[in-house]
Amino acid sequence: MKKIRTRIAPSPTGTPHIGTAYISLLNYYFARINNGKVILRIEDTDSKRSKSKFENKILELLHWLGIQWHEGPDIGGKFGPYRQSERNNLYNKYVEKLIKVGKVFKCYRTSEELEKLRKCKVDKTLKEKDLQLDYKELKFRKKHNWPYVIRLKVPNKGKCVFYDVLRGSITMNWDQIDSQVLIKSDGTPTYHLANVVDDYLMGITNVIRGEEWITSTPKHKLLYDYFGWKQPEFCHLPLLRNPDKSKLSKRKQNNSIEFYRKMGYLPQTIINYLGSLGGVKTTKWYRKNTNMKTKVDIKSISLGGPIFDLDKLSWLNGIYIRSMKNETLIQVMYEWAKDYIHKILPTIKPRIKILTDIIHLSEQVFYGLPKLKKEDFKVIALKKKLQIKVLKHLWLQLEYIEKWDKQNILYKVKQVSNQLQMKMKTIIAPIFIAINGRLISTSVINTIVILGKDITRIRIKQAIKLIGGITLKHENK
Ligand code: GLU
């Protein structure tokens, strides 16, 4: 039997989400119980949105959770490189093959034309025949070296059937599937091409990924068929849901792994909870029990979407914490607080006279979420409506900071003051309460720097809800 090889294939386009941890964990478990190997592959085909800081965060947080891999960009391996941007010259060879067998075509359409064409079509899918230019125009564009992309030829009619471990046979109509771009006009591959070629070259036997990729699978199947390669086994995991059944949004800060780490959830809580949602049958934390018997019954996963319930997670975290030996817990507490202590020290050191001063001077960074009441905002000489406005503007502004440092944060706060035509002195008060939990404390900008984007924005959100109970636009994007 072929040795099992699974892969964790994140795109480094944002801070890693709890869903990434879930998918990674199941790939890890599945390989492990089958004595297989896990490959970590960075899918950075979107060069504009991919950032090395996100890649570093992904590796750091997966390591923190205890998820391990046998091959990857950080440790190398026989099938490397494991970063798609370093494999660019490799994909062309495969496109050449497709050109030879006539399974792809060059498309010289401009984005405006594509938009128009889509508007005219009820089903919005574009096939080769929809994209064709008349002979003269095509000749002109070729002659004048217009940019072009290479697209996949997709059947116009008939059905595509593929097998999914959880769902059995899935049937989709070919007329619903676009002529996917495989090579962009700059000559680099899209996710679809790179993903299939790499899964093949890296010997992946099982593709375990989120169900949002189901609609892409017909294109992938087509590529496997055109190349004459055997497909891996597909398993599309249902996305995690909130208790109200809504999808766990990727954009909400409190779904990032970093948020849970900073709030003081333990890696073993997250792993065991996510594992239980993914049909993992074990009561022990796997990292500490390398020889334990773990069973993964992926088939038992509810297709309606496993519920990620924060209350349960907190309950479980409490159980783990209370069952720890005191020395271990002290170590865990120190590990958690260490980063904050290092960061807050330069601010508080000049103000410390006796050690007990430390608590009052630094507590704001340790709160997680400060325990605020509506009344806390009443002391501010600014109307409730305006306080909400300030916080909402800030919440939005902070989202767009690329480099989280004092200068950029201050710039954004000033921008809020300009936008609202209110003095800095006026707008800073609600920010102090929302972030620091009180009006008198060390610099709020400094706290924001230390807390990081996720926790800061969650604190602001908490404050907005408390003062006005209004939900934020963009919140669920
Ligand atoms: N790079 C894709 C992602 O970020 C992975 C899709 C797949 O596993 O095929 O989710």
Side-chain angles (χ1 to χ4, degrees), residues 365-404:
V365 297
F366 296 101
Y367 287 148
L369 288 180
K371 294 207 166 31
L372 291 175
K373 295 185 296 300
K374 227 178 178 167
E375 291 70 50
D376 295 324
F377 292 88
K378 289 198 176 142
V379 295
I380 304 171
L382 186 67
K383 279 195 185 125
K384 188 173 126 176
K385 240 167 84 184
L386 291 174
Q387 291 189 31
I388 295 173
K389 227 175 178 177
V390 168
L391 292 174
K392 273 191 171 180
H393 272 73
L394 184 66
W395 185 83
L396 211 62
Q397 285 293 339
L398 292 180
E399 180 176 6
Y400 300 107
I401 296 188
E402 276 288 318
K403 189 161 175 262
W404 194 259

Side-chain angles (χ1 to χ4, degrees), residues 266-282:
L266 307 173
Q268 57 266 50
T269 312
I270 301 174
I271 284 302
N272 277 356
Y273 186 54
L274 289 178
S276 72
L277 298 181
V280 177
K281 309 263 185 271
T282 178

Side-chain angles (χ1 to χ4, degrees), residues 7 9-11 43 191 195 207 209 212-213:
R7 81 312 195 257
S11 294
E43 301 211 321
Y191 150 77
N195 182 275
V207 168
R209 61 183 174 193
E212 72 270 34
W213 299 103

